[in-house]
Amino acid sequence: MSPRWEPNPDVRTGRHVAYNLHAHLVFVTKYRRGAFTDPMLVRCEQIMREVCADFEVELREFNGEHDHVHLLVHYPPKVALSKLVNSLKGVSARMLRKEFSTHVRTYLWGGHFWSGSYFAGSVGGAPLTVLRQYIEQQKRPV
C-alpha cells in the first residue's frame, strides 16, 4: 500500500471485495402497540447484537421507543438483508416473548410480536453522524 493512502476504517475487505455497506432498519411492533419498556429494549439490543454477530454483521447503533426499534448495521455483501431481518425479528420475538411473557401478553396476542413489514434504507447518502444522532435521540421509555 502507498504510504500516502489513509485507510478508511469503514471500508471492510474480504478476499476479493472491499465494501462499505450500511443499512438503517426499523421494526414496528404488531399493530404499533407500545409494548417496549427500557429493560426490554436493553435485552432486545443484546439479542440483536448476537444475531448480527452470527451473520458477521456489525450493529453500529440501536435504540427505540415504545412501539418500534431503529438499527444501523454495517454488513458484508454476502448477507441478504431480508434474511438478516427475518432472523433478527424471529429470534428477538421468540426470546422477548419468553423472557417478558406476562408483560408482552398484555400488549400483544396471537403469537405475534413484530409487524410483518419493516423499513430498510441505504445509508450511503446521509452522513452516518446524522443518522447516529437521529437514532440516539429516540424517546426511550422509562
Side-chain angles (χ1 to χ4, degrees):
M1 281 197 216
S2 169
R4 292 178 287 179
W5 184 71
E6 288 292 322
N8 182 341
D10 282 337
V11 176
R12 294 160 97 188
T13 59
R15 184 177 227 173
H16 299 287
V17 65
Y19 59 91
N20 185 14
L21 301 171
H22 290 86
H24 176 206
L25 304 173
V26 182
F27 306 149
V28 178
T29 57
K30 189 76 173 177
Y31 309 117
R32 278 201 92 110
R33 302 249 183 224
F36 279 113
T37 61
D38 189 57
M40 284 179 73
L41 284 173
V42 168
R43 182 62 181 130
C44 187
E45 180 178 4
Q46 291 170 344
I47 293 165
M48 290 190 173
R49 283 194 186 281
E50 291 169 10
V51 171
C52 283
D54 291 342
F55 278 81
E56 298 176 26
V57 170
E58 181 184 357
L59 179 56
R60 291 264 174 110
E61 288 292 327
F62 176 94
N63 208 347
E65 294 188 4
H66 292 284
D67 61 353
H68 68 280
V69 295
H70 289 265
L71 295 83
L72 176 62
V73 295
H74 190 201
Y75 64 98
K78 69 181 180 180
V79 171
L81 277 182
S82 60
K83 291 189 188 286
L84 174 64
V85 166
N86 287 340
S87 191
L88 286 167
K89 288 171 71 175
V91 172
S92 63
R94 195 167 45 255
M95 299 293 284
L96 291 172
R97 277 191 162 282
K98 181 179 170 186
E99 296 174 21
F100 298 93
S101 61
T102 306
H103 177 77
V104 171
R105 270 193 307 243
T106 60
Y107 292 92
L108 302 164
W109 53 89
H112 298 287
F113 189 91
W114 299 109
S115 166
S117 58
Y118 62 93
F119 169 81
S122 170
V123 189
L128 290 177
T129 54
V130 172
L131 190 57
R132 275 198 176 130
Q133 283 178 334
Y134 173 72
I135 292 174
E136 287 170 359
Q137 291 170 357
Q138 293 293 299
K139 295 176 185 150
R140 196 173 188 115
V142 187

